[in-house]
């Protein structure tokens, strides 16, 4: 039922108010920390001040003696014997033998007030034996680096690799040496990106309750309530179904709220405190020290190009650290790095390396921005060297439907070429530039994702509809799903209510990640709605005494499918629903599975900058995002994803980084020092929504959340080169770094 | 530590609460008075999610002690609408899709209202600098700035 570009929609593509808008502009929307429960206690966490230290002794007696303290937990309160990622999650929740990074939780306390819990936490004494630590990925991969977790390497790592390499990746196709030999220009460069944090404004927060009978509940800000349920159950040794997890409204996630950090602590404290609910809210400093961030990367890229801009071969070697646990997204980074290019010869090598930093979490297109920074920087530099237009070089090499992707599979319907053409036609490219100004372009890619999805919908007695989805709404997915369901039913948008439900209401859903909510929950909701429509057609057929196949659904009503079916006035959804009690009972639909037909999304960004030669400060003058949405269900929220992704990328490119001292402690663990872009840093972010419909979705949706963070890193580096002639290869491109480069070039 | 009795006016209502002298005004609003519309994003005055008016002055309520509210008037997001009648800023934020997760929205609305009360025709640049103390990680600020400009135009009586 894929609709072509000429299909007229009544609702899809319009911009109605979001259903949660009123709650969110009046302060009524309830987020993680807004919940209180009867008999509730408050928790605080004791964290390691050391990057790497053996825990010799934890003395909780003084804290336990404080009046009002109801429970203290350490690792001794958690089950032993976990393995693999379950052990990683438990170890990250609360340290065992060693603290592995600055901020690693060591103990937690619950008391009758938040202040009392904080006081009690200060009374917990921990003796540490400080161990040598390593922070930078290039240091961590050295053979003589402190070994953080001997034995953590998986089977992909060949014998003899340095101790902190835990995963090794090597893939490609063709003959890169032969390809480089065909090139007129071969260039090789090394790049680095620093760790950044998702920077959601809402700190992690939950209220957990767990009884001695193993039954529990949790209210939590999360992108995925079923992930929270399973991970908490694994870490605590509970039966998964006995834990019921309700997602709050979520104050931003960007991938960082797809996993657990401190949630099991509230449950463990609750169990120890006789089952009283325990509220645990992180401070910003805890968020920055002990949650999220993304990996940092050190990357070597080599590309061969002919004089006309054809890429003959490409090679990438990426080293990424994702903290003291396996999981840096080096695989994703490599898959995405060359994705915009049709390559006969390509070779990728990757190393996932441990360092004494917090366990990385997904961050918007995990890995892709780093890979794009390296590859799109080099393609740009080579285009300039050969006197070619960088957009034309991307068009020359750009992948189309049926091409083999750099990472193996064959592309289905994709919209890279359309995206590049739309970029080329945009008036921003004609704006003249002044002194110290430059323009940069870059492309970006994300696969998009489907995953476990379960959706129910039901028709109400008055013909309105409710939809139960398991994907928390971060950026307007309730609006987009309501639009698709209303369009399918032929009823007003306002007649559909989409509820994000708790784990007891549906089968397992993956989180809102991978740009999947509007694709996967939306597709499942449309399929479920089709079942309800079929049932309503059946009931109309029964009333008319005709065959149900002779009934069709048009504009919110059942009608005879043609003159041969009989002559009956249409039965509206309201009429059919009003009689459901007499015609067979509730009318509903349900769909679950792994929705197929994910459509990848390409984007292209153009940025104009001005670099101040006296300070090295880069000002963003103009910014353009062009991206293939497949179909924009609610264009305002598609634009919002493009704009928000671009600005996170701008922050990554220019400001944001984890800064560690010699002692391995994070030095910028507040928003004053970890500086995300503010309103006065930015211009308006121009957007163009390209629509090359995804045939795998009933309305052509691709998923739009992630691609937008990938091009800004290289696009800004390319613009700085255009403005200054300097090639910046190490993010962030802060004023001191740019000024130093200008001075080194004799121009500062 | 013994608590201090505080009498203050919040959104036009006289209220009383007992505050630990270490508690911020934000903590007291949220945990003593149940007004959870003001949010804590940082606790250090850097994100603006806790923005409220104290005797008319825009402040980060995480940087004010609860006991400092004694005898003063506090305005929070909960008092911005008049019953079911939204302030034009609130309406324009929804219309312009100026929020995604919505967590920063209460603070930004309170801050924007303070701006428009002293400058009914701010430029884009003035809005951007006024709101530079309010972090939004979702929107890139584009639609927020447009919503504030549109609300200002409506308040001036200009057609949108």
């Amino acid at each position: 039922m894929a609709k072509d570009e000429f299909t007229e929609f009544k609702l899809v593509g319009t911009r109605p108010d979001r259903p949660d808008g009123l709650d969110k502009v009046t302060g009524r929307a309830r987020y993680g920390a807004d919940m209180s429960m009867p008999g509730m206690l408050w928790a605080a966490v004791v964290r390691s001040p050391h990057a790497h230290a053996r825990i010799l002794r934890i003395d909780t007696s003084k804290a336990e003696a404080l009046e009002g303290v109801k429970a203290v937990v350490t690792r001794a309160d958690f089950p032993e014997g976990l393995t693999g990622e379950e052990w990683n999650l438990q170890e990250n929740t609360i340290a065992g033998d060693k603290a592995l990074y600055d901020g690693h939780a060591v103990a937690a306390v619950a008391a009758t007030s938040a202040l009392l819990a904080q006081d009690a936490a200060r009374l917990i004494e921990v003796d540490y034996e400080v161990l040598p630590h390593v922070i930078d990925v290039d240091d961590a991969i050295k053979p003589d680096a402190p070994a953080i977790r001997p034995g953590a390497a998986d089977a992909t790592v060949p014998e003899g690799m340095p101790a902190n390499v835990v995963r090794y990746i090597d893939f490609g196709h063709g003959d890169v040496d032969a390809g480089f030999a065909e090139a007129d220009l071969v260039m090789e460069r090394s790049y680095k990106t620093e760790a950044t944090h998702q920077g959601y404004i809402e700190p992690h927060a939950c209220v957990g309750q767990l009884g001695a009978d193993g039954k529990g509940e949790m209210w939590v800000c999360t992108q995925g309530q079923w992930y929270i349920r399973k991970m908490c159950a694994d870490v605590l040794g509970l039966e998964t179904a006995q834990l019921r997890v309700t997602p709050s409204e979520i104050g931003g996630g960007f991938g960082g709220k797809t996993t657990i950090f401190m949630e099991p602590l509230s449950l463990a404290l609750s169990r120890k405190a006789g089952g009283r609910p325990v509220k645990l809210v992180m401070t910003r400093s805890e968020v920055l020290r002990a949650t999220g961030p993304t990996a940092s990367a050190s990357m070597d890229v080599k590309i061969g190009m002919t004089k006309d801009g054809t890429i003959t071969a490409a090679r990438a070697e990426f080293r990424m650290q994702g903290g003291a646990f396996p999981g840096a997204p080096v695989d994703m980074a490599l898959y995405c790095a060359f994705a915009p290019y049709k390559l006969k010869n390509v070779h990728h090598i990757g190393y996932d390396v441990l360092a004494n930093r917090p366990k990385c979490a997904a961050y918007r297109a995990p890995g892709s921005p780093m890979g794009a920074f390296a590859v799109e920087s080099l393609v740009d530099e080579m285009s300039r060297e050969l006197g070619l237009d960088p957009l034309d070089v991307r068009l020359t090499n750009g992948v189309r439907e049926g091409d083999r992707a750099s990472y193996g599979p064959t592309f289905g319907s994709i919209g890279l070429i359309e995206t590049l053409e739309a970029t080329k036609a945009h008036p921003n490219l004609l704006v003249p530039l002044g002194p110290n100004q430059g323009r940069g372009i870059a492309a970006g890619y994300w696969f998009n994702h489907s995953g476990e999805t379960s959706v129910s919908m039901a028709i109400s007695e008055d013909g309105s509809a409710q939809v139960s989805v398991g994907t928390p709404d971060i950026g307007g997915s309730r609006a987009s799903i309501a639009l698709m369901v209303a369009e399918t039913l032929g009823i007003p948008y306002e007649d559909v209510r989409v509820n994000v439900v708790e784990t007891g209401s549906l089968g397992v859903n993956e989180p809102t990640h991978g740009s999947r909510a509007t694709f996967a929950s939306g597709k499942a909701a449309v399929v479920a709605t089709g079942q309800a429509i079929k049932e309503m057609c059946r009931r109309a057929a029964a009333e008319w005494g005709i065959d149900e196949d002779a009934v069709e659904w048009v504009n919110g009503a059942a009608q005879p499918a043609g003159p041969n079916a009989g002559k009956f006035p249409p039965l509206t959804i309201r009429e059919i629903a009003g009689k459901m009690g007499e015609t067979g009972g509730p009318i509903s639909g349900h769909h679950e599975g792994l929705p197929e037909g994910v459509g990848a999304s390409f984007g292209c960004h153009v940025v104009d900058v001005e670099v101040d030669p006296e300070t090295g400060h880069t000002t963003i003058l103009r910014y353009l995002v062009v991206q293939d949405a497949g179909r924009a269900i609610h264009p305002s929220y598609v634009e919002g994803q493009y704009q928000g992704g671009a600005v996170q990328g701008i922050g990554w490119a220019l400001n944001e980084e984890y800064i560690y001292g010699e002692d391995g402690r994070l030095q910028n663990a507040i928003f004053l020092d970890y500086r995300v872009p503010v309103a006065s840093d930015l211009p308006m972010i121009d957007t163009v929504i390209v629509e090359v419909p995804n045939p795998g979705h009933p309305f052509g949706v691709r998923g739009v959340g992630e691609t937008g963070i990938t091009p800004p890193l290289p696009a800004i580096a390319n613009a700085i080169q255009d403005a200054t002639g300097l090639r910046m290869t190490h993010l962030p491109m802060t004023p001191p770094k740019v000024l130093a480069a200008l001075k080194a070039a004799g121009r500062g | 530590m013994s608590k201090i009795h505080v009498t203050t006016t919040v959104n036009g209502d006289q209220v009383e609460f007992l505050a630990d002298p270490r508690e911020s005004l934000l903590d007291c609003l949220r945990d003593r008075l149940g007004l959870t519309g003001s949010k804590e994003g940082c606790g250090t005055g850097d994100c603006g999610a806790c923005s409220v008016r104290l005797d008319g002055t825009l402040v980060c309520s995480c940087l004010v002690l609860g006991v400092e509210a004694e005898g003063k008037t506090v305005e929070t997001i909960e008092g911005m609408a008049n019953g079911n009648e939204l302030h034009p800023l609130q309406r324009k934020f929804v219309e312009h899709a100026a929020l995604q997760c919505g967590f920063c929205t209460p603070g930004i609305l309170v801050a924007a209202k303070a701006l428009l009360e002293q400058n009914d025709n701010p430029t884009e640049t003035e809005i951007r600098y006024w709101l530079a103390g309010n972090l939004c990680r979702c929107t890139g600020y584009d639609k927020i700035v447009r919503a504030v400009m549109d609300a200002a135009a409506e308040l001036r009586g200009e057609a949108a």
Side-chain angles (χ1 to χ4, degrees):
Chain A
M1 67 185 282
K3 299 185 170 61
D4 62 41
E5 60 189 297
F6 304 109
T7 306
E8 291 281 328
F9 296 117
K10 288 199 171 93
L11 298 172
V12 163
T14 63
R15 302 172 185 246
D17 291 351
R18 58 191 292 160
D20 50 324
L22 182 60
D23 285 351
K24 287 184 173 169
V25 297
T26 53
R28 277 205 301 271
R30 283 171 299 163
Y31 295 83
D34 297 340
M35 173 60 77
S36 291
M37 289 171 72
M40 190 177 80
L41 302 172
W42 301 73
V45 178
V46 179
R47 296 182 180 278
S48 167
H50 304 296
H52 196 194
R54 195 169 308 286
I55 297 169
L56 302 176
R57 184 185 68 102
I58 305 176
D59 184 347
T60 62
S61 57
K62 286 181 188 159
E64 284 163 345
L66 191 68
E67 193 180 328
V69 170
K70 300 297 177 186
V72 178
V73 295
T74 64
R75 182 64 170 272
D77 295 286
F78 288 76
E80 294 181 358
L82 275 58
T83 57
E85 186 59 14
E86 292 177 9
W87 185 87
N88 290 333
L89 289 168
Q90 187 185 56
E91 177 76 4
N92 192 44
T93 300
I94 189 157
D97 296 337
K98 293 201 294 183
L100 297 171
Y101 55 91
D102 168 39
H104 198 170
V106 174
V109 54
T112 51
S113 79
L115 286 169
L116 200 57
Q118 290 158 24
D119 290 343
R122 280 188 278 271
L123 294 174
I124 293 174
E125 294 169 4
V126 186
D127 292 344
Y128 296 98
E129 175 198 350
V130 177
L131 301 170
H133 65 271
V134 63
I135 296 293
D136 180 74
V137 63
D138 288 325
D139 293 336
I141 203 172
K142 285 178 183 160
D144 58 349
I148 295 169
R149 279 183 45 205
D154 72 15
T156 60
V157 180
E159 286 284 319
M161 286 253 178
N164 291 323
V165 175
V166 289
R167 197 163 41 127
Y168 174 75
I169 296 160
D170 185 333
F171 67 97
H173 59 253
D175 181 340
V176 289
D177 291 331
F180 287 130
E182 290 168 23
D184 297 310
L185 176 66
V186 176
M187 286 182 78
E188 188 168 10
R189 286 270 183 276
S190 296
Y191 303 88
K192 283 190 93 159
T193 64
E194 293 303 325
T196 57
H197 196 277
Q198 295 79 349
Y200 32 81
I201 311 299
E202 182 196 27
H204 296 262
C206 67
V207 182
Q209 184 275 320
L210 181 62
D213 57 359
K215 293 186 174 66
E217 290 190 331
M218 179 171 281
W219 165 272
V220 58
C221 65
T222 179
Q223 294 174 243
Q225 54 273 44
W226 280 268
Y227 269 30
I228 293 282
R229 184 180 70 158
K230 180 173 190 317
M231 291 173 181
C232 285
D234 288 345
V235 165
L236 290 159
L238 306 173
E239 292 293 333
T240 305
Q242 297 300 344
L243 193 56
R244 185 168 168 232
V245 180
T246 302
S248 68
E249 289 295 331
I250 177 172
F254 314 108
K257 291 178 183 168
T258 56
T259 184
I260 55 167
F261 294 102
M262 82 318 181
E263 291 80 0
L265 297 176
S266 75
L267 294 170
L269 287 165
S270 173
R271 183 169 55 187
K272 221 168 170 181
R276 291 176 70 171
V278 173
K279 183 172 187 166
L280 181 48
V281 182
M282 280 191 170
T283 64
R284 175 57 49 183
S285 160
E286 287 181 293
V287 170
L288 287 166
R289 286 169 73 205
T291 76
T294 189
S296 64
S298 169
M299 303 171 284
D300 306 325
V301 179
K302 182 178 179 183
I303 291 176
M305 201 181 270
T306 61
K307 282 178 186 155
D308 71 348
T310 304
I311 298 176
T312 58
R315 186 180 184 282
E317 182 177 314
F318 291 0
R319 298 162 294 276
M320 293 171 72
Q321 69 72 32
F325 301 86
V330 64
D331 45 358
M332 306 285 203
L334 289 166
Y335 297 157
C336 294
F338 296 111
Y341 301 101
K342 186 177 180 178
L343 299 175
K344 279 190 192 145
N345 308 298
V346 61
H347 188 194
H348 310 76
I349 293 172
Y351 300 86
D352 180 357
V353 186
L354 300 186
N356 290 112
R357 300 195 189 207
K359 186 179 194 295
C360 82
Y363 181 20
R364 206 168 200 156
S368 188
M370 300 84 145
F373 174 60
V375 169
E376 292 295 278
S377 289
L378 188 53
V379 168
D380 187 84
E381 193 174 354
M382 295 176 75
S383 303
R384 285 170 201 279
E385 179 84 16
L386 292 169
L388 301 169
D389 179 298
L391 257 176
D392 287 340
V393 169
R394 285 166 177 86
L395 279 163
T396 299
N397 297 284
V399 284
R400 298 161 189 265
E401 182 169 359
D403 284 342
R404 182 181 188 186
S406 57
Y407 57 98
T410 299
F411 280 118
S413 164
I414 49 172
L416 173 62
I417 301 299
E418 291 82 349
T419 299
L420 294 171
E421 297 283 7
T423 308
K424 208 169 174 178
H426 197 277
N428 277 21
L429 274 73
L430 301 175
V431 178
L433 295 172
N436 301 314
Q437 297 184 354
R439 180 166 294 149
I441 77 145
Y445 175 72
W446 187 246
F447 321 91
N448 295 328
H449 178 63
S450 174
E452 291 168 291
T453 307
S454 176
V455 170
S456 288
M457 69 85 62
I459 308 295
S460 309
E461 299 89 324
D462 59 356
S464 59
Q466 69 178 46
V467 186
S468 301
V469 300
T471 41
D473 179 356
I474 308 186
S477 57
R478 273 172 293 202
S480 67
I481 291 166
L483 281 167
M484 291 185 282
V485 169
E487 181 86 47
T488 305
L489 280 172
I491 63 175
Y493 164 78
E494 294 75 15
D495 286 2
V496 178
R497 175 161 181 152
V498 179
N499 297 308
V500 178
V501 300
E502 44 81 42
T503 53
S505 300
L506 289 172
V508 172
N509 275 274
E510 279 188 27
T512 297
H513 66 174
S515 298
R516 77 182 212 95
T518 299
F519 171 79
S521 284
K523 184 172 181 176
V526 170
V527 174
T529 302
Q531 294 170 2
I533 288 173
K534 193 161 189 289
E535 176 61 17
M536 289 189 285
C537 287
R538 196 185 67 75
R539 295 197 190 187
E543 178 154 340
W544 294 329
I546 65 175
D547 194 278
E548 65 180 279
D549 293 336
V551 178
E552 63 181 1
W553 189 262
V554 179
N555 291 332
Q559 66 180 35
N564 295 336
K567 207 163 172 2
F568 303 99
L571 271 174
T572 66
I573 187 170
R574 194 180 175 89
E575 290 166 331
I576 296 169
K579 285 195 272 188
M580 70 168 83
E582 302 139 43
T583 58
I587 298 168
S588 61
H590 179 81
H591 184 71
E592 58 196 14
L594 303 160
E596 292 180 351
V598 173
S601 182
F602 284 96
C604 184
H605 292 196
V606 183
V607 58
D608 291 354
V609 304
E610 180 168 329
V611 179
D612 183 340
E614 288 186 14
T615 64
H617 180 264
T618 300
T619 301
I620 306 287
L621 302 171
R622 228 164 271 106
Y623 203 99
L624 170 66
V625 179
V626 184
Q627 188 182 323
D628 177 17
R631 174 95 60 200
I633 303 299
H634 192 308
S636 296
Y637 290 102
V638 173
E639 292 162 3
Q641 290 297 315
Y642 291 4
Q643 292 164 335
V647 168
Q648 285 188 319
I650 290 169
W652 201 335
L654 293 177
N655 295 325
E656 295 176 37
E657 63 176 318
Y658 268 43
I659 299 169
Y660 283 91
E662 291 286 312
D663 56 6
R665 289 176 183 161
L666 184 63
Q667 295 192 322
N668 57 337
I670 60 171
F671 267 148
L672 183 66
D673 301 321
Y674 184 89
R675 191 178 180 287
V676 305
V678 303
S680 55
D681 293 334
L682 298 160
M684 294 297 185
I685 308 294
D686 303 324
T687 58
V688 175
I689 300 174
V690 175
E691 292 189 306
V692 177
N694 170 20
H697 184 278
F699 291 103
V701 166
R702 289 187 183 276
V704 295
E706 289 167 288
T707 301
I709 198 175
T710 59
L713 288 62
I716 294 169
N718 296 343
I720 289 174
Q721 173 161 32
D722 196 45
T724 65
L726 301 171
R727 174 52 62 177
M728 303 299 293
T729 57
H730 188 168
L731 298 185
M733 299 175 283
T734 56
K737 259 194 220 158
V738 173
L739 190 60
L742 283 166
K743 282 191 171 151
R747 284 184 287 121
Chain B
M1 199 171 294
S2 65
K3 292 197 170 70
I4 297 171
H5 180 268
V6 178
T7 304
T8 184
T9 303
V10 179
N11 300 326
D13 297 330
Q14 193 179 352
V15 297
E16 299 170 70
F17 55 87
L18 292 175
D20 186 294
R22 296 174 295 170
E23 279 178 315
S24 69
L25 175 58
L26 176 62
D27 293 332
C28 293
L29 289 169
R30 290 178 55 83
D31 300 329
R32 306 278 169 228
L33 300 174
L35 294 171
T36 54
S38 305
K39 306 301 183 191
E40 179 165 321
C42 67
T44 51
D46 298 313
C47 81
C50 65
S51 298
V52 302
R53 309 278 287 277
L54 188 64
D55 277 352
T57 303
L58 182 65
V59 297
C60 286
S61 60
C62 74
L63 296 184
V64 177
L65 291 171
V67 295
E68 291 182 81
E70 172 67 36
K72 296 195 170 148
T73 62
V74 181
E75 295 162 68
T76 73
I77 184 64
E78 286 92 344
M80 194 159 172
N82 181 15
N84 284 323
E85 188 192 335
L86 294 181
H87 186 279
L89 277 164
Q90 292 173 301
R91 213 163 4 82
K92 292 298 180 188
F93 265 58
V94 177
E95 278 176 33
H96 283 266
L99 54 118
Q100 286 179 34
C101 81
F103 192 80
C104 70
T105 307
I108 290 185
L109 285 168
V110 169
K113 181 164 176 273
L115 168 65
L116 298 189
E117 283 173 12
Q118 69 173 58
N119 178 356
D120 71 352
N121 193 11
T123 63
E124 180 192 330
T125 301
E126 286 171 334
I127 293 170
R128 288 185 178 279
Y129 276 87
W130 183 269
L131 293 179
N134 291 83
L135 302 182
C136 169
R137 193 59 159 172
C138 295
T139 66
Y141 305 101
D142 181 301
K143 293 179 191 300
I144 291 173
V145 174
R146 290 178 200 276
V148 175
M149 293 177 90
D150 196 13
E154 183 179 305
L155 285 163
R156 290 194 306 273
E158 294 169 16

